[in-house]
Amino acid sequence: MEHMSIPTTTVSELPDDAVLVDVREADEWAAGHAPNAIHIPLGELPSRIDELPDTDDTVAIVCRMGGRSARAVQWLVQQGYDVANVEGGMVEWQRAGKQLAADGDPSII
């Protein structure tokens, strides 16, 4: 499969209250996530695609560092969705000092 360039965005371009779609696993999500993120693990994305936010804006897709979300974005673009991969993922989100939500002390694992 040829490498296609995928749309990307950066943490600095996203507002703190951005509605991200987080494709990490449940334990990663529980440890810490963006406050307004929607959690749809990568493996469940095809069956839960109707849970993507209904918006005219580009939807940012995030994982820990950008690898899984890149796969999600590549697939979603093929389905006709307007999405972008968050470069650096939640590691970069945390490094930039953006807000994190969690049950306990938020962290990125």
Side-chain angles (χ1 to χ4, degrees):
M1 188 166 126
E2 68 182 73
H3 182 72
M4 59 180 262
S5 66
I6 61 168
T8 59
T9 187
T10 62
V11 164
S12 59
E13 290 172 330
L14 294 168
D16 286 354
D17 62 354
V19 178
L20 308 171
V21 173
D22 191 324
V23 297
R24 297 175 301 155
E25 295 304 309
D27 58 336
E28 297 174 280
W29 166 266
H33 52 264
N36 289 336
I38 298 168
H39 184 223
I40 309 176
L42 183 60
E44 296 174 20
L45 192 56
S47 62
R48 295 176 59 188
I49 198 163
D50 57 350
E51 293 178 41
L52 289 173
D54 185 15
T55 173
D56 293 332
D57 298 329
T58 302
V59 176
I61 313 290
V62 71
C63 65
R64 182 170 180 269
M65 296 186 74
R68 282 169 288 179
S69 51
R71 294 209 296 275
V73 166
Q74 195 168 15
W75 184 77
L76 287 165
V77 165
Q78 289 168 342
Q79 314 303 313
Y81 284 87
D82 179 13
V83 290
N85 188 28
V86 179
E87 290 181 358
M90 289 306 297
V91 169
E92 188 58 37
W93 179 274
Q94 183 182 37
R95 189 180 292 140
K98 291 202 180 254
Q99 211 174 343
L100 287 172
D103 295 340
D105 286 332
S107 66
I108 300 303
I109 62 172

